[in-house]
């Protein structure tokens, strides 16, 4: 078995990303097989890797970014950045944080054709009282459900949210114990805190394709498979 892994997010793709705020290459599934020198038909499964919230390093439109309206990161955005240790891997720059954006995820699915999603860093959201999920945008008051090709229009997008109750903050050891129990007993997501499980189920129902695993910490053991 061979695993091909990409390192950068879909919106940094030079062709399908938020140009000119992109990297210098194709970051999607198509470049994985080309770079490895194999036929695209040899790929049996494609999984999207996505955080339980949205982040971005550097400039560019970010509709769900969490600000207080005065140019400062609001409380929930700061919580994500601090608890999630959100700094660029190579640059060290602080990542911008915001609510999970399903418009972006649908765009990524269109580019890559996911068979499922692995949701990471769910634990970071513990302690936030209300969680929001972006299900669409409005542009100048008109509904929009796809990322606009024009960067100026994307910059004017206002998010449309659905909300669910948050869940309690747990220690890394408590999250690890949930993951170990799930691995030992084969209980899947059922051991998650009730509202955390409801958040995962809500995302899955809105996306229309399965979440195959959930990450609840940085440890190798902190992944719960369905």
């Amino acid at each position: 078995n061979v695993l091909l892994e990409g390192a950068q997010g879909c919106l940094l793709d030079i062709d399908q990303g938020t140009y000119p705020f992109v990297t210098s290459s194709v970051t999607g599934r198509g470049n994985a097989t080309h770079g490895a020198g194999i036929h695209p038909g040899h790929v049996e499964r494609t999984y999207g890797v996505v955080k339980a919230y949205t982040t971005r390093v550097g400039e560019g439109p970010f509709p769900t970014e969490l600000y207080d309206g005065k140019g400062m990161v609001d409380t929930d955005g700061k919580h994500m950045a601090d608890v999630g240790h959100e700094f660029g891997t190579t640059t060290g720059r602080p990542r911008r944080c915001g609510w999970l954006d399903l418009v972006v995820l649908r765009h990524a699915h269109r580019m890559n054709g996911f068979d499922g999603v692995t949701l990471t860093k769910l634990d970071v959201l513990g302690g936030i009282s209300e969680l929001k999920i972006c299900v669409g945008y409005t542009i100048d008051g008109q509904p929009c459900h796809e990322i606009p090709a024009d960067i100026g229009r994307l910059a004017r997008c206002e998010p449309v949210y659905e909300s669910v109750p948050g869940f309690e903050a747990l220690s890394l050891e408590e999250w690890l114990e949930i993951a170990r129990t799930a691995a030992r007993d084969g209980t899947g997501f059922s051991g998650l805190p009730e509202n955390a499980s409801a958040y995962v189920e809500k995302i899955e129902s809105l996306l229309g394709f399965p979440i195959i695993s959930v990450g609840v910490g940085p440890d190798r053991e902190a992944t719960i498979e369905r």
Side-chain angles (χ1 to χ4, degrees), residues 158-183:
E158 296 289 338
V160 176
Y161 290 119
E162 291 193 15
S163 299
V164 297
F167 51 91
E168 65 270 29
L170 301 178
S171 68
L172 289 178
E173 186 53 42
E174 287 174 316
W175 284 114
L176 266 178
E177 184 56 34
I178 291 173
R180 290 178 185 134
T181 300

Side-chain angles (χ1 to χ4, degrees), residues 180-191:
R180 290 178 185 134
T181 300
R184 184 184 66 242
D185 300 340
T187 51
F189 299 164
S190 63

Side-chain angles (χ1 to χ4, degrees), residues 139-160:
I139 306 176
D140 303 329
Q142 298 300 311
C144 173
H145 297 287
E146 301 290 342
I147 294 179
D150 180 272
I151 198 75
R153 284 176 57 79
L154 180 58
R156 300 202 306 276
C157 284
E158 296 289 338
V160 176

Side-chain angles (χ1 to χ4, degrees), residues 2 4 26 28-47 111-113 115:
V2 177
L4 307 178
V26 174
R29 169 185 178 175
N31 199 42
T33 50
H34 181 76
I38 61 175
H39 189 282
H42 290 158
V43 175
E44 296 177 354
R45 297 284 188 276
T46 301
Y47 299 115
M111 288 172 57
N112 297 284
D115 294 293

